[in-house]
Amino acid sequence: MEQGSELQRLEKFVEKILTRFSALKAEKEQLDQELFERDLLIEELRESISSKETERNEISERVNKIVDQIEEWEINLEDSGDVTTSIPSEYNELNREGTLADVHEPEKENNDEEKRIQQGLFSMTGSKG
Protein backbone atom coordinates (compact mmCIF):
# COMPACT_ATOMS: atom_id res chain seq x y z
CA MET A 1 0.00 0.00 0.00
CA GLU A 2 2.82 2.27 0.62
CA GLN A 3 3.65 2.14 -3.03
CA GLY A 4 0.09 3.14 -3.94
CA SER A 5 0.10 6.15 -1.64
CA GLU A 6 3.50 7.23 -2.98
CA LEU A 7 2.15 6.87 -6.50
CA GLN A 8 -0.93 8.97 -5.61
CA ARG A 9 1.25 11.67 -4.07
CA LEU A 10 3.37 11.72 -7.24
CA GLU A 11 0.24 11.96 -9.42
CA LYS A 12 -1.08 14.88 -7.35
CA PHE A 13 2.30 16.61 -7.50
CA VAL A 14 2.51 16.20 -11.30
CA GLU A 15 -1.09 17.40 -11.64
CA LYS A 16 -0.29 20.53 -9.58
CA ILE A 17 2.80 21.18 -11.69
CA LEU A 18 0.82 20.80 -14.95
CA THR A 19 -1.97 23.05 -13.67
CA ARG A 20 0.53 25.67 -12.57
CA PHE A 21 2.38 25.37 -15.90
CA SER A 22 -0.88 25.92 -17.83
CA ALA A 23 -1.72 28.96 -15.69
CA LEU A 24 1.76 30.42 -16.19
CA LYS A 25 1.56 29.79 -19.94
CA ALA A 26 -1.81 31.63 -20.13
CA GLU A 27 -0.42 34.48 -18.02
CA LYS A 28 2.62 34.73 -20.30
CA GLU A 29 0.38 34.93 -23.38
CA GLN A 30 -1.68 37.67 -21.72
CA LEU A 31 1.47 39.61 -20.79
CA ASP A 32 2.84 39.20 -24.31
CA GLN A 33 -0.41 40.67 -25.69
CA GLU A 34 -0.26 43.58 -23.24
CA LEU A 35 3.35 44.19 -24.16
CA PHE A 36 2.48 44.21 -27.86
CA GLU A 37 -0.37 46.70 -27.26
CA ARG A 38 1.86 48.93 -25.17
CA ASP A 39 4.54 48.88 -27.85
CA LEU A 40 1.91 50.05 -30.35
CA LEU A 41 0.80 52.79 -27.97
CA ILE A 42 4.39 53.90 -27.38
CA GLU A 43 4.95 54.13 -31.14
CA GLU A 44 1.75 56.18 -31.57
CA LEU A 45 2.82 58.52 -28.76
CA ARG A 46 6.28 58.95 -30.25
CA GLU A 47 4.74 59.88 -33.59
CA SER A 48 2.39 62.29 -31.83
CA ILE A 49 5.29 63.89 -29.95
CA SER A 50 7.23 64.24 -33.17
CA SER A 51 4.25 65.84 -34.87
CA LYS A 52 3.69 68.22 -31.95
CA GLU A 53 7.38 69.18 -31.89
CA THR A 54 7.28 69.93 -35.62
CA GLU A 55 4.13 71.98 -35.15
CA ARG A 56 5.65 73.82 -32.17
CA ASN A 57 8.79 74.62 -34.16
CA GLU A 58 6.74 75.98 -37.05
CA ILE A 59 4.68 78.14 -34.70
CA SER A 60 7.83 79.33 -32.93
CA GLU A 61 9.38 80.33 -36.26
CA ARG A 62 6.23 82.21 -37.26
CA VAL A 63 6.05 84.02 -33.91
CA ASN A 64 9.75 84.93 -34.14
CA LYS A 65 9.16 86.37 -37.62
CA ILE A 66 6.24 88.42 -36.32
CA VAL A 67 8.31 89.69 -33.37
CA ASP A 68 11.16 90.58 -35.75
CA GLN A 69 8.72 92.48 -37.97
CA ILE A 70 7.34 94.38 -34.97
CA GLU A 71 10.85 95.22 -33.76
CA GLU A 72 11.80 96.40 -37.24
CA TRP A 73 8.63 98.47 -37.37
CA GLU A 74 9.47 99.96 -33.96
CA ILE A 75 13.00 100.83 -35.13
CA ASN A 76 11.58 102.47 -38.25
CA LEU A 77 9.16 104.49 -36.09
CA GLU A 78 11.98 105.62 -33.81
CA ASP A 79 14.14 106.54 -36.81
CA SER A 80 11.35 108.60 -38.39
CA GLY A 81 10.73 110.58 -35.20
CA ASP A 82 7.75 110.84 -32.88
CA VAL A 83 4.73 110.11 -35.03
CA THR A 84 2.27 111.83 -32.68
CA THR A 85 4.00 115.25 -33.00
CA SER A 86 3.68 115.46 -36.77
CA ILE A 87 0.37 117.01 -37.82
CA PRO A 88 -1.02 116.28 -41.30
CA SER A 89 -1.85 119.29 -43.47
CA GLU A 90 -5.62 118.83 -43.08
CA TYR A 91 -5.27 119.61 -39.34
CA ASN A 92 -3.24 122.79 -39.87
CA GLU A 93 -6.08 125.31 -39.70
CA LEU A 94 -5.91 128.20 -37.26
CA ASN A 95 -8.72 128.80 -34.79
CA ARG A 96 -9.82 132.22 -33.55
CA GLU A 97 -6.98 132.43 -31.00
CA GLY A 98 -4.35 131.76 -33.66
CA THR A 99 -3.47 128.27 -32.46
CA LEU A 100 -3.67 125.07 -34.38
CA ALA A 101 -7.16 123.61 -34.45
CA ASP A 102 -8.23 120.14 -35.45
CA VAL A 103 -10.94 120.26 -38.09
CA HIS A 104 -11.69 116.57 -37.59
CA GLU A 105 -11.31 116.34 -33.79
CA PRO A 106 -12.88 112.87 -33.19
CA GLU A 107 -10.89 111.33 -36.02
CA LYS A 108 -7.62 112.80 -34.68
CA GLU A 109 -8.39 111.53 -31.16
CA ASN A 110 -8.93 108.02 -32.54
CA ASN A 111 -5.66 108.19 -34.47
CA ASP A 112 -3.78 109.49 -31.42
CA GLU A 113 -5.21 106.74 -29.23
CA GLU A 114 -4.26 104.09 -31.81
CA LYS A 115 -0.74 105.50 -32.04
CA ARG A 116 -0.38 105.45 -28.23
CA ILE A 117 -1.50 101.82 -28.13
CA GLN A 118 0.91 100.87 -30.91
CA GLN A 119 3.80 102.67 -29.24
CA GLY A 120 2.97 100.90 -25.97
CA LEU A 121 3.13 97.57 -27.79
CA PHE A 122 6.42 98.47 -29.37
CA SER A 123 7.96 99.51 -26.10
CA MET A 124 7.20 96.03 -24.67
CA THR A 125 9.14 94.29 -27.44
CA GLY A 126 12.07 96.68 -27.30
CA SER A 127 13.67 94.90 -24.33
CA LYS A 128 14.81 91.99 -26.53
CA GLY A 129 17.35 93.92 -28.58
Side-chain angles (χ1 to χ4, degrees):
M1 279 243 228
E2 200 174 286
Q3 234 179 3
S5 71
E6 290 292 321
L7 196 54
Q8 284 179 340
R9 278 185 41 202
L10 183 59
E11 286 175 345
K12 285 182 183 179
F13 182 72
V14 169
E15 187 178 322
K16 280 183 178 179
I17 290 176
L18 290 176
T19 303
R20 184 70 180 137
F21 176 76
S22 296
L24 288 172
K25 188 175 179 182
E27 186 179 351
K28 180 190 178 291
E29 288 175 8
Q30 181 184 358
L31 290 173
D32 283 344
Q33 180 64 31
E34 287 179 20
L35 181 62
F36 177 75
E37 290 171 2
R38 289 210 176 136
D39 285 345
L40 289 177
L41 178 62
I42 288 171
E43 186 58 34
E44 284 179 31
L45 291 173
R46 283 183 178 155
E47 290 173 5
S48 176
I49 288 172
S50 176
S51 170
K52 298 296 181 194
E53 285 177 345
T54 301
E55 183 179 345
R56 185 189 69 205
N57 289 337
E58 289 173 2
I59 290 171
S60 177
E61 288 176 12
R62 291 174 69 185
V63 168
N64 285 336
K65 285 180 183 178
I66 291 171
V67 169
D68 289 344
Q69 288 175 342
I70 290 172
E71 288 176 345
E72 184 177 322
W73 189 16
E74 180 183 24
I75 290 170
N76 288 338
L77 279 176
E78 289 172 358
D79 289 347
S80 65
D82 188 7
V83 178
T84 58
T85 59
S86 63
I87 300 174
S89 61
E90 65 234 27
Y91 297 113
N92 286 335
E93 291 188 15
L94 293 176
N95 65 14
R96 280 185 246 147
E97 290 86 27
T99 60
L100 289 176
D102 188 355
V103 177
H104 308 285
E105 190 70 31
E107 184 178 308
K108 182 178 185 291
E109 287 176 9
N110 288 340
N111 286 342
D112 288 345
E113 179 65 20
E114 184 177 331
K115 290 174 187 172
R116 275 197 303 272
I117 291 170
Q118 288 176 353
Q119 286 180 341
L121 288 173
F122 297 141
S123 67
M124 285 189 263
T125 61
S127 62
K128 181 181 176 188

